Amino acid sequence: MKKKIFKAAVIGLGVGMHHIKALESHPNCIVKKVYDFDKSKILKFKKKYPKIEFVKNEEQIFLDDEINIVSIASYDNFHFSQIINCIKNKKNIIVEKPICLTQKQLISINKKLKNSKIKITSNLVLRTTSLFKKIKKKISKKKIISIEADYLWGRLYKLYQWRSKIRDYSIIHGCAIHIIDLVLWLIDKRPIKVYAKGNNLGINSKKFKKNSYVIIILKFSDNLIVKVTANASAIYPHFHEVKIFSENSTIIHNLQGSFELNSKKKIKIIESKYPDKQNRLNVIHSFIDNLKNKYNKSIVNKKDIFDSMSISLAAEKSLKSDREIKIKYEN
C-alpha cells in the first residue's frame, strides 16, 4: 500500500522554523513551500532547505492545490485572515496562538470551520510536557481547592520587537493562554467567569505601551478559583510555575524543583522532564496522524483551542472594562 504523503507550507520563519522541523520529521509529511516577508531570513534558510520553495507571497501557498497543510507562524495580527484563507482554499491548519484577536473573529472562524471538513490545531504545547502529564495523573482523583499558575516570560527584549508595533497585541493572548490551556487540561473543566487586572511597571513604556503583567482570576461553577498570571517584565528565567492545592496534598513546581507535600508535611520529589521541549513537536505529529486516520486523536483539537481562546478573550475584555466577565464559549 502506497504511503500517503501530506504536503505542507509554513508562513513565518521565526518560530516557524520549529514547525518546519516538526513537519519534516513526520514520515508522512514534506514541506513544499515557505513564505516570509523578511528577505534576509529567506536567504539564510534557503541553503539549509534546498528542496523547499521559498515563495514571494502567501497567495502562492493558498492557491497551490497540492498543499494539504498550512502552518501559520506569522505575527498575531495576521492569524485570522490567514486562517480564513486556509478554510477558503481547503487547507488544514496548524496555527500559533492566538488564533485571532477579537470575539467577532473567533465566531467567524468557528462558523466557517463548522461548514467545512478542515481540521485545526495550535501550539498549546505545555500539555506535551512529561512533568505536567505526571501531575495531571496525580491530581485526577483529588478534590482541588485552588490553583496558582504563572507564565514567567523572562525575555523582556521580545516586547520591544514586533509586539510593540501591533495595536492589539495582548500579553494574555500571547502568554497567559498557555497557562489557561494547561489548567483546563489538568483539571478537565471550564471556568464560567473571569476577572483580570494588569500594569506596565518595570518596562520602558515608551517602547511598549501595553500591559506587561496581568493577573487573571478564573471562577468555576463548583466554587474552585484559579489564579493565572502572565509576567513579561520580571527578572526571571522563562518558566511555568504551578501550585496545586488539594484536600490532602500540595503540588509545587518552581525553580527549586517539582515536589508534592502531603498532609504530614513530608516532601516527595516529582521526578520528570521539564521543560521537555523535544516533545513539543508531538502536537504537530499527532495532528498529521489524525489527518491520516480520524481515530488517532490530536493532542490539541478544535475544542481545546476555542475553549482557551474564549477565556483569553473574556479576560482581555475584563482587563479593559475593569469588571468581571461571564465567559461565552464558541463550542
Side-chain angles (χ1 to χ4, degrees):
M1 185 176 176
K2 189 176 179 181
K3 182 166 68 172
K4 182 174 177 60
I5 299 294
F6 294 95
K7 293 185 178 181
V10 176
I11 301 174
L13 280 172
V15 71
M17 290 308 303
H18 297 294
H19 291 227
I20 293 172
K21 182 180 177 181
L23 290 161
E24 288 266 282
S25 63
H26 193 285
N28 293 89
C29 187
I30 61 169
V31 177
K32 183 182 179 184
K33 292 182 177 180
V34 168
Y35 169 70
D36 194 289
F37 58 73
D38 188 335
K39 292 181 180 179
S40 63
K41 286 183 180 179
I42 292 172
L43 290 172
K44 179 181 178 181
F45 293 113
K46 262 186 175 181
K47 293 181 181 179
K48 188 174 181 179
Y49 295 100
K51 293 182 180 180
I52 295 175
E53 181 185 353
F54 289 80
V55 298
K56 293 182 180 180
N57 59 69
E58 60 187 50
E59 287 303 311
Q60 291 176 263
I61 288 172
F62 296 127
L63 297 177
D64 187 334
D65 292 336
E66 285 191 339
I67 290 173
N68 316 102
I69 302 167
V70 174
S71 194
I72 298 170
S74 55
Y75 298 165
D76 295 2
N77 54 319
F78 296 126
H79 292 181
F80 171 70
S81 62
Q82 289 166 345
I83 287 171
I84 297 301
N85 256 331
C86 283
I87 299 169
K88 178 183 175 182
N89 291 284
K90 300 179 181 178
K91 315 294 185 190
N92 295 293
I93 306 158
I94 300 164
V95 59
E96 284 287 313
K97 50 72 193 147
I99 66 169
C100 61
L101 296 175
T102 69
Q103 191 74 32
K104 184 178 179 180
Q105 290 176 349
L106 189 65
I107 292 168
S108 178
I109 294 170
N110 191 32
K111 182 179 179 180
K112 290 182 183 300
L113 283 174
K114 282 182 176 179
N115 293 326
S116 77
K117 294 182 180 180
I118 300 303
K119 293 185 178 182
I120 187 170
T121 195
S122 188
N123 69 322
L124 300 170
V125 294
L126 293 185
R127 54 175 66 200
T128 68
T129 307
S130 297
L131 172 67
F132 295 140
K133 287 181 181 179
K134 185 171 280 190
I135 289 174
K136 178 177 172 67
K137 189 174 181 180
K138 279 181 172 290
I139 67 172
S140 62
K141 295 181 181 179
K142 295 180 183 290
K143 183 177 180 181
I144 306 301
I145 298 170
S146 64
I147 297 175
E148 298 177 9
D150 306 303
Y151 190 108
L152 293 141
W153 207 17
R155 299 164 297 183
L156 180 59
Y157 66 92
K158 286 195 171 188
L159 285 184
Y160 305 142
Q161 297 173 346
W162 61 266
R163 292 167 179 85
S164 65
K165 298 175 177 63
I166 294 178
R167 185 187 65 181
D168 294 325
Y169 181 75
S170 163
I171 204 74
I172 297 176
H173 302 334
C175 296
I177 195 168
H178 275 299
I179 300 295
I180 290 168
D181 177 72
L182 178 65
V183 169
L184 297 185
W185 175 73
L186 284 172
I187 63 177
D188 196 26
K189 61 174 72 172
R190 304 190 303 189
I192 56 173
K193 294 180 180 179
V194 60
Y195 180 67
K197 292 286 287 186
N199 66 38
N200 66 346
L201 303 178
I203 65 168
N204 187 331
S205 58
K206 290 183 179 179
K207 288 185 178 180
F208 188 80
K209 298 179 180 180
K210 308 164 187 73
N211 289 295
S212 62
Y213 173 83
V214 176
I215 182 168
I216 300 165
I217 303 299
L218 302 175
K219 296 183 179 181
F220 293 76
S221 59
D222 59 359
N223 290 324
L224 172 66
I225 293 177
V226 173
K227 181 214 78 176
V228 169
T229 67
N231 191 335
S233 54
I235 305 302
Y236 210 88
H238 181 64
F239 203 82
H240 311 97
E241 196 161 293
V242 178
K243 292 180 185 177
I244 302 174
F245 302 92
S246 69
E247 283 186 326
N248 54 13
S249 71
T250 298
I251 290 175
I252 298 172
H253 169 60
N254 59 25
L255 287 180
Q256 283 69 51
S258 308
F259 46 93
E260 184 173 10
L261 184 69
N262 65 21
S263 57
K264 295 181 180 179
K265 297 183 181 178
K266 290 185 177 181
I267 295 174
K268 182 179 179 180
I269 302 297
I270 302 174
E271 295 183 358
S272 196
K273 290 182 180 179
Y274 172 89
D276 202 15
K277 290 184 179 181
Q278 68 272 19
N279 270 344
R280 293 180 178 181
L281 56 73
N282 289 336
V283 170
I284 289 176
H285 282 193
S286 70
F287 181 67
I288 297 170
D289 290 339
N290 179 252
L291 294 178
K292 282 169 51 186
N293 185 336
K294 66 179 181 180
Y295 296 107
N296 296 324
K297 291 185 177 181
S298 289
I299 292 172
V300 179
N301 60 33
K302 176 177 175 282
K303 182 180 183 301
D304 300 325
I305 299 165
F306 275 72
D307 282 353
S308 57
M309 194 71 241
S310 296
I311 297 166
S312 191
L313 286 166
E316 187 66 30
K317 185 176 180 180
S318 173
L319 184 65
K320 291 175 179 177
S321 65
D322 194 24
R323 60 188 178 89
E324 186 176 79
I325 299 296
K326 185 177 179 179
I327 302 163
K328 179 184 178 184
Y329 291 99
E330 290 305 320
N331 267 332

